[in-house]
């Protein structure tokens, strides 16, 4: 995995190591409070789903599934409904769909799709602007550039801090 250059403190941050796999799965390793959890991530040509979560949560400073894991919940594919987290998940889905389609949808179209998706799932929308869409897309593009340059077995380490803290890309194993 990647180099460890920052200390993890209780509930304040979580380190995520994304390792590119050679088969059908990549892997996300979660490091928090001395506990390590590993999750297989099905390959999807674009960055892993949870890396899209990182881009959305760190850019908007909203608490989605990764923020909930950072705050102590177990890493699970089934989390209890929570308005902010559910709004983040719907936005992640919109960005994922955009990335699968080339990553160049107009911000207004993405915001409209986000509202439709939230309405269909009875989920409140987060306040998201065209500038937010641009900032999230910039983060996804930077992560994708790094991800695509990795060989199988190499990792990107990311740190998700409390929403009021800066987020950093920690290291890339080579």
């Amino acid at each position: 995995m990647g180099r460890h250059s920052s200390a993890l403190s209780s509930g304040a941050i979580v380190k995520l190591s994304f390792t590119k796999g050679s088969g059908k799965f990549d892997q996300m390793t979660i490091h928090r409070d001395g506990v390590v959890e590993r999750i297989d991530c099905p390959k999807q040509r674009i960055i892993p789903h949870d890396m899209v979560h990182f881009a959305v949560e760190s850019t908007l400073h909203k608490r989605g599934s990764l923020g909930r894991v950072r705050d102590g919940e177990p890493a699970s594919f089934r989390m209890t409904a929570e308005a902010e987290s559910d709004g983040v998940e719907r936005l992640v889905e919109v960005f994922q769909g955009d990335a699968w389609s080339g990553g160049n949808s107009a911000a207004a179209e993405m915001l409209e799709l986000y509202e439709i998706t939230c309405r269909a799932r009875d989920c409140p929308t987060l306040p998201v602007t065209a500038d937010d869409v641009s900032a999230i897309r910039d983060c996804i593009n930077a992560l994708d550039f790094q991800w695509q340059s990795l060989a199988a077995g190499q990792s990107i380490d990311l740190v998700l801090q409390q929403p009021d803290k800066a987020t950093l890309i920690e290291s890339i194993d080579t």
Side-chain angles (χ1 to χ4, degrees):
M1 297 287 154
R3 296 177 300 272
H4 299 272
S5 62
S6 64
L8 300 181
S9 59
S10 178
I13 66 174
V14 62
K15 179 181 165 190
L16 309 163
S17 297
F18 290 92
T19 303
K20 189 173 265 191
S22 60
K24 293 183 178 184
F25 294 92
D26 299 314
Q27 190 172 75
M28 177 177 67
T29 305
I30 301 164
H31 308 265
R32 63 174 169 158
D33 293 333
V35 175
V36 176
E37 297 177 79
R38 287 184 178 79
I39 296 176
D40 286 334
C41 305
K43 285 190 178 283
Q44 55 177 3
R45 186 184 55 81
I46 62 172
I47 61 176
H49 175 82
D50 288 309
M51 201 181 287
V52 179
H53 262 278
F54 176 85
V56 170
E57 293 181 42
S58 65
T59 301
L60 295 182
H61 305 286
K62 295 295 182 186
R63 186 173 180 258
S65 62
L66 294 179
R68 292 172 70 171
V69 167
R70 176 203 58 225
D71 295 343
E73 290 188 39
S76 170
F77 291 111
R78 303 250 185 243
M79 291 186 152
T80 305
E82 183 179 280
E84 185 171 275
S85 179
D86 292 351
V88 167
E89 185 64 40
R90 303 296 78 81
L91 192 56
V92 166
E93 292 167 353
V94 168
F95 274 96
Q96 219 171 259
D98 177 61
W100 289 329
S101 302
N104 56 7
S105 301
E109 292 173 1
M110 292 180 67
L111 292 170
E112 182 180 1
L113 181 57
Y114 176 58
E115 289 178 17
I116 291 168
T117 302
C118 286
R119 263 196 315 271
R121 299 216 179 141
D122 199 25
C123 167
T125 58
L126 301 173
V128 181
T129 67
D131 287 341
D132 293 330
V133 169
S134 179
I136 294 166
R137 186 175 276 148
D138 288 348
C139 184
I140 288 172
N141 289 339
L143 291 168
D144 184 62
F145 179 79
Q146 293 175 46
W147 185 248
Q148 298 307 326
S149 71
L150 298 180
Q154 291 182 315
S155 299
I156 296 176
D157 292 346
L158 305 172
V159 174
L160 184 65
Q161 300 181 348
Q162 293 289 353
D164 61 338
K165 307 281 187 204
T167 305
L168 62 110
I169 297 175
E170 189 177 273
S171 68
I172 300 175
D173 260 354
T174 55

